[in-house]
């Protein structure tokens, strides 16, 4: 019954009765009906499952449900299709006409059931976007962390391939410029297979990859046919289905750091497990990958440059000099750099004389090592015009003074420079010139003697004075040159005591039975054991020795051994006299 004075809406339905259609009223709409239209979808059915009521919202959300008909589908009380039902709230979710709906069940009197239906499509979309954003953030965070673990271009490229193959594509290729040689390197892999790598030339690459290496990108989709003849195509397993993808230029330091090729299986693009490529995610990953590859390439170039320069600054090997035995030991203060401010060198000339030197440049580390390299080259050049040690020091002093920048203090060096000449009796004559360095030590039998050669610092003042002395070494005697890293090594019980010349002399006592390399290494080992943990100065030792005579036992000589194979029968050991 409808109250007087209120509008009455009449729902109408169409009944087919033969060729004519008759429109008949079903039920008058009350004010309560109209009020419920704005309260979300409401549907009610009786105990038999026949729909008795639907408001306007429910009719719009459930176009396949009719009043007066049995309720079917996800809300069928007899055949429930509820993929996810919450028993506590009696709620279920299902999809109708592309919209995600949530229905809550409520029991009424007389066995009737009411369903409250809401459209939760937008909620799901927001939740999916939030989860997707969290997934992207998690992937990018993991990518940044893994890409920052190595500064090796090859290992960084392998990480790029593994990350992209796991998240962005089925197959991935990265191409980047090699550090040396002007060639290109590549790494390729797909899901579930190991990363393969190789070297190639730009002429062997497909045009889309070459364009990406130049920083040119195309919006056109990449087909697998575009990559025919690529150097990585025959290197291992590759997706054999029709594939599509893209080539992305990796940004670097002003120039592209490489090119990234992403390929996906065309048949899987429509599957739920392989959604379309997230363009924003690919671009963000490419930014991170490009930065990592550029940093690795820069570091590799710096390492190579440092290795080449360091190779020219390393202490040279000792030559083989007839009539002279040489030994050396070197311990830089920075073990990782392998170079320092202490140095030595031995240069064999075409004549009988051999030039040698040991010194200590003012300063530490790379700067001092560069100075030692220049100083050694200067000595090599000057000795072509002068062989006298004192004159060599004077010319070297003038060269260093002239080369000093006017706005900087001169960089001086302490130095012992000399010549060695083998003598007919097996001894060696040394001419030693000093430039403010520690006095050499002579090992004669069980004694240790100092050689006071004096001299001023080299490169400190223009008119420096130098002098020389001559020392003859008998066979087996040695001359030891060393830097202050030995005598000023701090250690002992409290870590503050210096090694000193007395301890060095004690170490050398009795070393006359050792060859020159053994003497040098013995000094270095004793100094290492004395040093307290932490920083220490460079250590350099050079030993020149007159060869130790080899005694020949009297009355003994070698006999030839008979060829036992000439005997047809083996001879017992006791039968051989």
């Amino acid at each position: 019954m409808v109250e007087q004075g209120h509008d009455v809406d009449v729902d109408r339905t169409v009944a087919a009765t033969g060729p004519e259609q008759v429109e008949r009223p079903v039920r008058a709409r009350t004010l309560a009906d109209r009020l419920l239209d704005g309260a979300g979808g409401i549907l009610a059915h009786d105990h038999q499952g026949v729909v008795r009521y639907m408001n306007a919202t429910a009719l719009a959300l459930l176009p396949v449900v009719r009043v007066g008909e049995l309720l079917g589908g996800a809300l069928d009380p007899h055949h429930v299709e509820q993929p996810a039902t919450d028993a506590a709230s009696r709620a279920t979710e299902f999809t109708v006409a592309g919209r995600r709906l949530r229905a809550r069940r409520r029991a009424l009197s007389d066995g009737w059931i009411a369903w409250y239906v809401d459209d939760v499509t937008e909620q799901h979309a927001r939740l999916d976007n939030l989860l997707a954003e969290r997934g992207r953030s998690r992937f990018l965070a993991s990518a940044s962390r893994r890409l920052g673990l190595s500064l090796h271009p090859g290992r960084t490229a392998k990480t790029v391939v593994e990350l992209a193959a796991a998240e962005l594509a089925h197959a991935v290729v990265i191409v980047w410029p090699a550090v040396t040689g002007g060639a290109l390197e590549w790494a390729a892999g797909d899901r579930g297979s190991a990363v393969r790598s190789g070297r190639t030339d730009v002429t062997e690459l497909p045009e889309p990859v070459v364009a990406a290496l130049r920083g040119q990108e195309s919006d056109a989709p990449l087909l697998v046919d575009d990559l025919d003849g690529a150097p990585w195509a025959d290197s291992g397993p590759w997706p054999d289905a029709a594939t599509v993808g893209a080539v992305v230029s990796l940004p670097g330091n002003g120039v592209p750091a490489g090119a990234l090729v992403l390929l996906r299986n065309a048949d899987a693009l429509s599957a739920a497990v392989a959604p379309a490529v997230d363009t924003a995610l690919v671009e963000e990953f490419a930014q991170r990958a490009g930065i990592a590859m550029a940093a690795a390439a820069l570091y590799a170039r710096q390492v190579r440059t440092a290795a080449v320069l360091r190779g020219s600054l390393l202490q040279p090997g000792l030559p083989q000099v007839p009539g002279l035995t040489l030994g050396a030991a070197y311990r830089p203060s920075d073990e990782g750099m392998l170079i320092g401010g202490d140095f030595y060198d031995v240069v064999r000339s075409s004549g009988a004389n051999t030039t040698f030197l040991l010194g200590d440049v003012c300063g530490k580390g790379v700067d001092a090592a560069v100075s030692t390299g220049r100083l050694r080259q200067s000595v090599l050049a000057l000795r072509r015009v002068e062989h006298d040690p004192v004159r060599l020091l004077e010319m070297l002093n003038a060269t260093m003074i002239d080369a000093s920048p006017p706005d900087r203090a001169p960089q001086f060096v302490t130095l012992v420079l000399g010549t060695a000449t083998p003598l007919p009796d097996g001894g060696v004559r040394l001419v030693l010139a000093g430039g403010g360095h520690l006095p050499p030590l002579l090992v004669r039998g069980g004694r240790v003697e100092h050689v006071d050669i004096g001299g001023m610092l080299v490169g400190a003042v223009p008119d420096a004075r130098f002098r020389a002395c001559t020392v003859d070494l008998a066979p087996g005697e040695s001359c030891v040159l060393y830097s202050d890293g030995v005598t000023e090594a701090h250690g002992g019980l409290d870590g503050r005591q210096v090694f000193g010349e007395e301890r060095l002399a004690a170490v050398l006592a009795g070393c006359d039975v050792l060859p020159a390399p053994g003497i040098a290494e013995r000094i270095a080992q004793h100094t290492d054991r004395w040093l307290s943990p932490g920083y220490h100065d460079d250590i350099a030792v050079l030993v020149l020795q007159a060869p130790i005579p080899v005694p020949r036992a009297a009355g003994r000589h070698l006999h030839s051994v008979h060829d036992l194979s000439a005997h047809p029968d083996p001879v017992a050991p006791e039968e051989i006299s």
Side-chain angles (χ1 to χ4, degrees):
M1 182 175 181
V2 182
E3 295 182 8
Q4 186 177 4
H6 291 263
D7 294 335
V8 178
D9 292 339
V10 178
D11 289 344
R12 299 182 181 274
T13 185
V14 177
T17 58
E20 297 182 355
Q21 293 182 345
V22 179
E23 187 179 274
R24 63 185 180 188
V26 177
R27 186 180 65 83
R29 289 175 55 82
T30 66
L31 176 61
D33 292 331
R34 294 197 299 271
L35 292 175
L36 290 175
D37 287 343
I42 301 177
L43 177 150
H45 64 80
D46 59 17
H47 64 283
Q48 294 181 343
V50 178
V51 178
R52 298 299 183 182
Y53 176 79
M54 294 179 68
N55 68 350
T57 304
L59 289 169
L61 296 176
L62 303 169
V64 296
V65 179
R66 296 288 186 270
V67 176
E69 298 179 358
L70 287 173
L71 180 62
L75 304 180
D76 188 349
H78 299 101
H79 305 284
V80 179
E81 290 184 17
Q82 299 181 8
T85 300
D86 185 348
S89 61
R90 302 288 184 178
T92 183
E93 290 190 6
F94 52 93
T95 302
V96 175
R99 307 293 295 180
R100 192 67 178 168
L101 305 180
R102 177 184 295 141
R104 291 176 290 109
R105 183 177 182 275
R106 179 181 178 186
L108 303 177
S109 60
D110 298 330
W112 282 40
I113 301 296
W115 290 95
Y116 300 91
V117 184
D118 296 312
D119 188 345
V120 293
T121 303
E122 299 301 328
Q123 297 180 22
H124 275 272
R126 289 193 295 269
L127 179 60
D128 291 342
N129 290 336
L130 177 60
L131 294 178
E133 184 60 34
R134 288 181 178 177
R136 286 191 291 268
S137 299
R138 186 163 49 248
F139 167 71
L140 292 175
S142 175
S144 298
R145 183 174 61 254
R146 290 187 58 186
L147 290 172
L149 294 178
S150 174
L151 285 174
H152 185 278
R155 287 192 287 269
T156 303
K158 179 182 177 182
T159 302
V160 171
V161 171
E162 292 173 344
L163 289 169
E167 188 74 18
L168 303 177
H170 295 98
V172 181
V173 181
I174 181 173
V175 183
W176 71 97
V179 176
T180 60
L184 295 170
E185 296 188 70
W186 60 265
D190 52 11
R191 297 180 181 179
S193 67
V195 177
R196 309 172 300 279
S197 60
R199 294 175 70 93
T200 185
D201 189 78
V202 68
T203 58
E204 300 177 357
L205 294 177
E207 182 56 34
V209 179
V210 176
L213 288 172
R214 296 171 181 162
Q216 304 169 358
E217 296 189 11
S218 174
D219 296 332
L222 177 71
L223 300 179
V224 70
D225 294 340
D226 297 332
L227 302 178
D228 286 344
W232 54 81
D234 299 328
S235 63
W238 199 254
D240 53 3
T243 52
V244 296
V247 180
V248 183
S249 180
L250 301 180
N253 296 323
V255 295
L260 183 66
V261 182
L262 303 175
L263 294 176
R264 294 173 67 86
N265 192 320
D267 297 335
L269 287 177
S270 59
V273 296
V277 176
D278 188 334
T279 304
L281 181 61
V282 170
E283 292 178 353
E284 189 66 28
F285 176 75
Q287 288 281 345
R288 284 166 165 77
I291 293 173
M293 290 297 298
L298 177 61
Y299 180 76
R301 286 192 292 269
Q302 291 176 342
V303 168
R304 176 171 173 78
T305 302
V308 172
L309 294 177
R310 185 171 59 187
S312 65
L313 301 178
L314 290 176
Q315 302 304 316
L318 298 176
Q320 296 291 331
V321 180
L324 180 65
T325 304
L326 300 170
Y330 187 73
R331 304 286 194 275
S333 59
D334 187 347
E335 297 287 348
M337 290 296 296
L338 303 179
I339 55 178
D342 292 2
F343 64 97
Y344 62 83
D345 201 357
V346 178
V347 182
R348 181 182 175 183
S349 61
S350 57
N353 291 342
T354 297
T355 303
F356 60 89
L357 66 155
L358 182 142
D360 184 0
V361 171
C362 175
K364 298 291 185 294
V366 177
D367 293 337
V370 172
S371 297
T372 64
R374 288 200 301 261
L375 192 145
R376 286 206 307 263
Q377 296 301 320
S378 298
V379 172
L380 288 175
L382 293 174
R383 67 181 294 275
R384 292 185 174 274
V385 297
E386 181 60 61
H387 295 282
D388 180 70
V390 173
R391 284 290 301 145
L392 272 175
L393 286 181
E394 292 173 349
M395 296 172 67
L396 182 62
N397 182 74
T399 300
M400 294 182 63
I401 293 294
D402 293 341
S404 297
D407 57 342
R408 295 178 58 184
Q411 188 174 29
F412 59 85
V413 59
T414 66
L415 183 67
V416 174
L417 188 149
T419 59
T421 306
L423 301 176
D425 61 354
V428 175
R429 175 163 295 170
L430 303 179
V431 179
L432 301 168
H437 198 75
L438 298 171
L441 298 178
L442 301 180
V443 181
R444 300 181 184 274
R447 308 185 316 275
V448 177
E449 302 176 3
H450 289 76
V451 181
D452 186 12
I453 52 177
M456 300 176 64
L457 298 176
V458 181
V461 295
D463 299 325
R465 300 290 183 88
F466 309 103
R467 67 186 187 90
C469 68
T470 302
V471 175
D472 288 343
L473 298 178
E477 295 181 346
S478 303
C479 177
V480 179
L481 310 180
Y482 55 95
S483 66
D484 58 3
V486 175
T487 55
E488 296 181 6
H490 287 74
L493 295 178
D494 58 0
R496 299 179 180 178
Q497 303 177 51
V498 295
F499 192 70
E501 295 184 3
E502 293 184 1
R503 288 188 177 87
L504 177 57
V507 169
L508 292 175
C511 282
D512 56 305
V513 298
L514 294 177
I519 296 175
E521 192 60 31
R522 177 179 173 87
I523 296 172
Q525 289 180 356
H526 276 266
T527 307
D528 288 340
R529 285 196 292 266
W530 176 261
L531 283 169
S532 58
Y535 173 81
H536 65 86
D537 200 358
D538 300 325
I539 297 172
V541 180
L542 178 64
V543 180
L544 301 99
Q545 185 181 62
I548 300 176
V550 179
R552 175 175 296 183
R556 302 187 64 178
H557 57 276
L558 298 177
H559 296 274
S560 62
V561 179
H562 294 288
D563 185 4
L564 298 181
S565 64
H567 297 274
D569 299 324
V571 181
E574 59 270 12
E575 295 178 359
I576 301 176
S577 58

